[in-house]
Amino acid sequence: MQRMAEMCAILRRWPRDVLPDHRVLARESVQQCREMFEASRIVLAFEHGDEPWTTVAALDEDGFTWREEGSFDVAASVAAELSDLTFYTGSAKRDRATVRIACGEGTVEIKTPLHPVLRRQIGPDPVLSTPVVSENLAGRLFVCSPAEPSDMELVIAEAVGVIIAARF
């Protein structure tokens, strides 16, 4: 119960303004997420409008990074059956991964829930991921090494994806 109260307090403090500088918006978003989910690393990957690249913003103990990549495909970053879902997957294994899906959808076994290139970039640790989608934005948030989330925390992660998308 204490954890939920802390997460709600972070949601109440979440910045609500829409800024023209996407780098500032991304930095604020990953900072809030890192605190909220007690994660070692946060990665926000998104495509905005008609830009020919994918922006990858990340925050870890080494600081904030911002990259524009022409070869990163957000849509292919997770397994097709997970593309519209919020989920948590444990540490990477060789054959299959157990994936918990938000909103009571249960647990499924999937061979590769995260694209192998992305998995190499973020490491073998558990990942919570949620879509970040609006009219002009298509992306995903990846929370690396979070404390294993409760079902309610998975729902909060979905709300966080909506909040981030609304600010862009």
Side-chain angles (χ1 to χ4, degrees):
M1 192 60 109
Q2 176 67 24
R3 177 84 181 110
M4 291 307 300
E6 291 168 3
M7 293 182 93
C8 288
I10 293 168
L11 282 174
R12 284 191 298 276
R13 291 192 312 266
W14 202 286
R16 289 173 174 76
D17 50 338
V18 176
L19 303 173
D21 187 341
H22 290 168
R23 189 180 302 243
V24 172
L25 286 172
R27 181 188 298 265
E28 288 178 355
S29 297
V30 295
Q31 286 172 333
Q32 292 290 105
C33 288
R34 189 157 185 237
E35 178 185 359
M36 174 175 282
F37 295 106
E38 300 175 351
S40 65
R41 184 171 194 221
I42 301 290
V43 176
L44 174 61
F46 63 92
E47 297 162 355
H48 191 267
D50 294 331
E51 299 295 352
W53 59 79
T54 297
T55 300
V56 180
L59 179 68
D60 58 22
E61 64 276 353
D62 294 328
F64 177 76
T65 59
W66 172 276
R67 299 187 323 267
E68 293 170 347
E69 295 190 8
S71 62
F72 188 94
D73 182 8
V74 173
S77 64
V78 300
E81 59 265 44
L82 299 172
S83 64
D84 296 329
L85 302 172
T86 296
F87 64 88
Y88 171 83
T89 183
S91 298
K93 297 178 184 158
R94 289 185 167 257
D95 51 353
R96 298 189 82 65
T98 301
V99 177
R100 277 185 39 229
I101 301 172
C103 296
E105 297 293 323
T107 301
V108 295
E109 293 284 323
I110 296 178
K111 184 170 180 163
T112 52
L114 302 177
H115 190 281
V117 172
L118 175 67
R119 181 49 99 173
R120 281 193 300 278
Q121 289 176 351
I122 63 176
D125 296 328
V127 174
L128 184 157
S129 183
T130 193
V132 179
V133 179
S134 69
E135 186 175 321
N136 293 317
L137 188 77
R140 286 202 76 86
L141 178 70
F142 299 95
V143 180
C144 306
S145 300
E148 185 165 347
S150 67
D151 290 340
M152 184 56 71
E153 288 171 297
L154 287 173
V155 172
I156 288 174
E158 283 192 318
V160 166
V162 171
I163 291 168
I164 293 171
R167 293 189 68 213
F168 276 85

